[in-house]
Amino acid sequence: MAKIAVLGSGTGSNFQALVEEFGDEIVLVISDQPGAGILEKAKAFGIPTAVEVGGADLSARILKRLGGVDLICLAGYMRLVKEPLLSAFPNRILNIHPSLLPKYPGKAAWEQALADQAEVTGCTVHYVDAGIDTGEVILQEKVEVLIDDTATTLHARIQIAEHRVYPQAVKRVLKKMSGRV
Ligand code: GRF
């Protein structure tokens, strides 16, 4: 059984999708936002939580909490992952991003897609490196941009795709890590 930690700053809908697939394998949720919905969701599932607010040594503080963890999933985590955390988990930190990377990295990627009048956008699960949404792509799913889409409707449809693609990508990575079927 793998041990997965989830880092998030927001509502935690992707976290919920991961819990529905991996259950007890999710052993810890860490947030930089004391009031984040992801913490409430974790508590409701009986999953241990921790809060580590921003600061120069944030990645070091998070690392200290991750003894025994095999894989880290960022799920709406709004901070850069830095050393020493990156080197401690090589190819063991994943992120979900709401665009077809390398298109539209950074914040509000669905708004970038709308501003660009893109016909198609989507979501990407990728390995995390030191850059902003630059790591190797693991899995992507396309989402069509509709003529009457607003930022809200487009983001909502991308999130539905995210909830499908993130568990699939994690399964793929766990299989690679351990040879499990
Ligand atoms: C998702 O759209 C994800 O792509 C982005 O942040 C959002 C998090 O949403 N990185 P949630 O907290 O999982 O609902």
Side-chain angles (χ1 to χ4, degrees), residues 10-15 75-76 96-98 155 159 162:
T11 59
S13 67
N14 279 284
F15 157 70
I96 178 95
H97 181 78
H155 188 212
Q159 285 218 297
E162 288 181 343

Side-chain angles (χ1 to χ4, degrees), residues 103-104 109-120:
K103 282 216 152 201
Y104 317 132
W110 58 93
E111 287 179 9
Q112 296 184 49
L114 284 175
D116 197 28
Q117 298 187 322
E119 291 180 0
V120 174

Side-chain angles (χ1 to χ4, degrees), residues 3-152:
K3 289 194 168 135
I4 302 169
V6 178
L7 271 54
S9 311
T11 59
S13 67
N14 279 284
F15 157 70
Q16 182 160 345
L18 292 173
V19 172
E20 283 165 12
E21 182 67 42
F22 297 103
D24 290 351
E25 291 182 288
I26 314 271
V27 295
L28 177 63
V29 170
I30 302 178
S31 182
D32 60 318
Q33 302 293 328
I38 191 171
L39 293 171
E40 292 314 309
K41 283 196 170 75
K43 284 172 194 160
F45 285 118
I47 297 170
T49 61
V51 174
E52 289 291 354
V53 295
D57 62 343
L58 175 61
S59 287
R61 278 184 278 126
I62 289 173
L63 177 57
K64 277 191 189 160
R65 293 186 177 273
L66 297 179
V69 166
D70 304 302
L71 185 71
I72 302 170
C73 292
L74 308 186
Y77 184 62
M78 300 306 286
R79 291 179 187 272
L80 277 179
V81 175
K82 296 182 180 165
E83 295 299 352
L85 189 50
L86 276 177
S87 298
F89 284 84
N91 284 335
R92 298 285 185 273
I93 310 177
L94 313 185
N95 182 42
I96 178 95
H97 181 78
S99 75
L100 297 175
L101 289 171
K103 282 216 152 201
Y104 317 132
K107 288 188 178 159
W110 58 93
E111 287 179 9
Q112 296 184 49
L114 284 175
D116 197 28
Q117 298 187 322
E119 291 180 0
V120 174
T121 184
C123 56
T124 302
V125 181
H126 63 94
Y127 289 108
V128 171
D129 62 15
I132 299 176
D133 306 319
T134 48
E136 185 193 334
V137 170
I138 299 163
L139 208 55
Q140 295 184 307
E141 185 172 320
K142 287 180 187 169
V143 174
E144 197 185 341
V145 182
L146 304 177
I147 197 96
D148 56 352
D149 257 333
T150 62
T152 308

